[in-house]
Amino acid sequence: MSGFQAMAEAWRDRIYSFAYYSLGSREEAEDVTQEVLVRLWQHWPTLSDGHTVPWLIRVARNACLDVHRRRQTRTAFAANHSDDCPVNPSPVADDPDAILERQEFRKQVETALHEIEEPYRSIVILREIETLSYAEIADALALPLNTVKVYLHRGRRRLRELLKEEYAHGTL
């Protein structure tokens, strides 16, 4: 297996996951994933080993931001057009009530994530969903490490605020 194939297979699902949580649309996440992998193929000869992962994250984030910009342009011309996020596939479990509860919680978290401004949204997704380290996020987004930590704290706080109304009696 070539270096490109190994990198593409190792990161395809993570790019898709990041795009899905950023955009809330399976189709757009698939498009972004394909676009990022095509760009990886085009730039493969010029990428150095130590900088490929941050480059991939940066390209995926920029592609998601481009989709957000296109959405804003479309909605300016079509006020009733909506890019609502579809329900994610249900997790496997025995208890139907638990499945429904997890699906509802996931939809509420996804909705709340879409209300968080950039760069907070990207940082929360990269840290909490993609489980990247602070250093990897800082490198990928070209931000100082302390800035990433502060933005993550603010993003988490904003996410809690958005979810607090729904889960006022729970522990968030």
Side-chain angles (χ1 to χ4, degrees):
M1 182 178 295
S2 75
F4 167 77
Q5 288 176 320
M7 180 63 75
E9 288 198 18
W11 278 88
R12 180 184 56 233
D13 291 341
R14 293 184 83 177
I15 293 167
Y16 173 83
S17 176
F18 175 79
Y20 178 79
Y21 281 100
S22 292
L23 302 171
S25 167
R26 291 181 198 172
E27 294 81 17
E28 289 174 328
E30 289 170 358
D31 290 345
V32 165
T33 302
Q34 184 174 353
E35 181 181 336
V36 170
L37 293 177
V38 166
R39 287 185 188 174
L40 176 63
W41 173 254
Q42 292 169 340
H43 291 89
W44 184 253
T46 62
L47 294 172
S48 63
D49 288 338
H51 297 289
T52 304
V53 171
W55 182 88
L56 271 174
I57 295 166
R58 201 170 19 256
V59 170
R61 179 174 179 259
N62 289 341
C64 289
L65 291 174
D66 289 343
V67 171
H68 281 292
R69 285 186 204 106
R70 284 192 298 268
R71 280 184 187 172
Q72 289 173 349
T73 302
R74 279 195 319 253
T75 56
F77 293 108
N80 294 331
H81 180 61
S82 174
D83 286 315
D84 293 336
C85 118
V87 177
N88 209 14
S90 63
V92 178
D94 296 330
D95 184 15
D97 291 333
I99 292 172
L100 182 60
E101 188 174 312
R102 281 194 299 268
Q103 285 177 336
E104 288 175 6
F105 180 72
R106 170 179 255 145
K107 285 192 328 190
Q108 290 164 346
V109 169
E110 289 172 3
T111 301
L113 276 171
H114 294 292
E115 293 181 32
I116 297 174
E117 307 80 31
E118 283 295 335
Y120 308 113
R121 177 190 316 125
S122 292
I123 292 173
V124 168
I125 292 170
L126 289 171
R127 178 67 182 160
E128 302 302 337
I129 297 172
E130 296 298 323
T131 65
L132 295 180
S133 71
Y134 295 113
E136 290 172 320
I137 296 168
D139 194 22
L141 302 182
L143 293 171
L145 184 62
N146 285 335
T147 302
V148 169
K149 291 178 181 181
V150 169
Y151 284 1
L152 178 61
H153 173 75
R154 290 177 184 166
R156 286 173 175 163
R157 183 177 58 210
R158 179 71 178 126
L159 186 60
R160 263 189 238 105
E161 289 169 1
L162 292 168
L163 294 172
K164 186 183 279 185
E165 189 174 299
E166 189 68 34
Y167 294 97
H169 303 292
T171 56
L172 283 179

